[in-house]
Structure formats: C-alpha cells, structure tokens
Amino acid sequence: MKRNKVGSVMTTDVVRVDYGTPFKEVARLLAAHRISGLPVVDEEDRVIGVLSQSDLITRQAATPGPHRRFSFPGLTRGARRQAAKANARTAGRLMTEPPVTAHADDTVVEAARTMARHQVERLPILDEEDRLVGIVTRRDLLQVFLRPDREIRDEVIEEVLTRTLWLAPGSIDVSVVEGVVALSGHMERKSEREIALSMTRRIDGVVGVVDKLTYRLDDAHLRIQEPALHGVADDWLRRL
C-alpha cells in the first residue's frame, strides 16, 4: 500500500552547527533563518544533539550574576546539567542529547508518533548511513491531513478493495468526508472486513473509519487450521 514517507515532506536544506560553534553564532542562525531549533553534527554529518531556543533561554536564565556562584554538590543530575549549561559557550556544551531522530524511509505516521512520544517539535532526518539529510517539523507532518477526500477514496478503492482483497469495483461503497472514511456493503468473510478496516485506518490522511460492513462467514476459528496462507490479503491477516 502506498505510504507517504518522511523523505517526501522533509526540508533538505538544513541549517546545522558543529560541536564547537559559539553560543552567539547559534543564536544568530536561529534568528536569521527564523527557526526554533537545529541539529548539531560531527565531522561525518551524523547528528550528535539538537539545540532549541529553549536551550538558549535556559542558558541565559541560569547564568549566575556577578556575585553568585554555582555549587554542584548535593544537586540532582538534572540540576547539575542545567548548572553546567549556564556556563556553556559552544553548541556541544549546550545541546540536548541523545538526539531524537527519524529516517527518510519512515512513514509520516511513525515520525508523528516519535514526536508525540518524546514531546519534540522537530526531527532531524537520517539516511541509511545515519547521516543528516533533512529535518521535519510538526507543521510538515500535518500536510498529510490536507489530502483531498477524493484522493483518499481512490486509494481505498484501488489499494485496499481491488488490489488486496480482489473485490469487484462497486461491491463496497466508499465515501470520504473531511478525512472520515465510511465503508458499507456485504463481504464474504469476517477476515476480509478486518483487513479492509485495518488497512483503511493506515492510509495517510484518514482521520477515522466508520464501519458499516457485514459478512456471511465468521472464519476466525478457521485461521489456526489453515496450514498455509498466501497473497497480500493473508499477509495483512497475520498482522491483525
């Protein structure tokens, strides 16, 4: 099934810095390019950390006054890290590590889940050799939900019903309104219904699926007895 990959929505012209980039140069780059964060890379263009406006602001806020000194004993690990950042003068000393990244061949949905799980606003994108090739933001990933309803409907019919389940055109009614797909009609097996619903939910741009499908045969108890399964539909059946 066709899936939008992160590589199709990422920005390839990435503003980046290395470990030794001065603090003020980082601030200048963020302001000049109107971005809120950037990756820190090593000599081989591998991402070793990320920097955000929050890191810079935290650094400034934690900077001691002329009559104040930091005392590390007794501080928690997190507090010691914040205290050390107060004196950071380079990107490498200020960056957040390890970096949260994704690969160019990851799906948009996988990248969105990574962002949500780690509560980050951007992801450096890596190639097969883990080198930086792009970056995506939450705004980039939201583009997938801007797919036209007609385009989503065509993919459901062509990829799910026709190509995978080998159903005759028009045997299942498909309607899409604001990204919500409604499937209605009669299917031969319960497993076909499960495949149709599962695959449709995974299509880029689908907000929800309304199930109005019926079936003649409940074949759930027959799956274990089948010695071998073949075809695209059976591959999906194993995943359910």
Side-chain angles (χ1 to χ4, degrees):
M1 184 168 61
K2 181 180 178 181
R3 304 281 295 162
N4 278 346
K5 302 295 185 179
V6 174
S8 67
V9 297
M10 70 182 183
T11 298
T12 56
D13 185 14
V14 186
V15 180
R16 67 197 77 185
V17 295
D18 57 33
Y19 189 96
T21 302
F23 172 90
K24 285 197 172 183
E25 175 62 12
V26 174
R28 187 193 67 79
L29 287 171
L30 292 177
H33 294 276
R34 297 183 179 180
I35 53 179
S36 60
L38 47 72
V40 183
V41 299
D42 62 14
E43 305 80 22
E44 297 182 344
D45 231 16
R46 290 189 170 88
V47 181
I48 57 176
V50 293
L51 269 172
S52 68
Q53 290 175 336
S54 297
D55 292 318
L56 272 65
I57 293 173
T58 299
R59 190 268 191 196
Q60 289 299 89
T63 301
H67 303 295
R68 178 185 168 200
R69 294 183 179 180
F70 277 109
S71 178
F72 285 2
L75 292 179
T76 64
R77 182 179 180 183
R80 288 197 300 271
R81 186 183 299 115
Q82 290 302 102
K85 282 189 176 185
N87 295 315
R89 297 181 180 180
T90 63
R93 297 292 301 275
L94 190 62
M95 68 186 183
T96 297
E97 55 178 331
V100 179
T101 62
H103 284 80
D105 59 354
D106 290 346
T107 66
V108 169
V109 172
E110 289 170 339
R113 287 172 179 166
T114 299
M115 274 190 177
R117 184 166 60 251
H118 294 277
Q119 297 183 335
V120 296
E121 296 182 359
R122 70 197 60 79
L123 287 176
I125 306 303
L126 314 179
D127 62 12
E128 298 84 355
E129 298 179 347
D130 289 337
R131 291 188 173 88
L132 181 67
V133 292
I135 196 165
V136 294
T137 64
R138 291 179 179 179
R139 180 177 298 180
D140 296 326
L141 298 184
L142 285 175
Q143 292 180 17
V144 69
F145 293 107
L146 300 180
R147 292 186 72 187
D149 289 341
R150 182 183 182 86
E151 185 177 315
I152 295 173
R153 180 178 183 274
D154 289 345
E155 185 169 345
V156 173
I157 294 173
E158 295 171 12
E159 297 293 335
V160 179
L161 302 179
T162 304
R163 182 173 178 271
T164 300
L165 295 174
W166 293 3
L167 298 178
S171 59
I172 300 297
D173 182 67
V174 181
S175 63
V176 185
V177 179
E178 296 296 324
V180 178
V181 181
L183 300 176
S184 59
H186 188 73
M187 309 189 87
E188 181 65 18
R189 301 185 297 171
K190 180 180 180 180
S191 60
E192 293 177 336
R193 167 182 168 273
E194 294 175 351
I195 292 171
L197 296 173
S198 180
M199 291 186 70
T200 300
R201 291 190 185 100
R202 288 170 169 78
I203 289 178
D204 292 333
V206 171
V207 176
V209 178
V210 178
D211 175 20
K212 297 180 180 180
L213 296 171
T214 60
Y215 53 88
R216 185 185 69 82
L217 174 65
D218 184 351
D219 59 341
H221 63 288
L222 300 177
R223 297 181 196 171
I224 300 178
Q225 301 175 11
E226 295 178 359
L229 297 174
H230 304 284
V232 178
D234 294 320
D235 288 339
W236 271 91
L237 191 55
R238 290 190 183 95
R239 304 177 193 176
L240 296 178

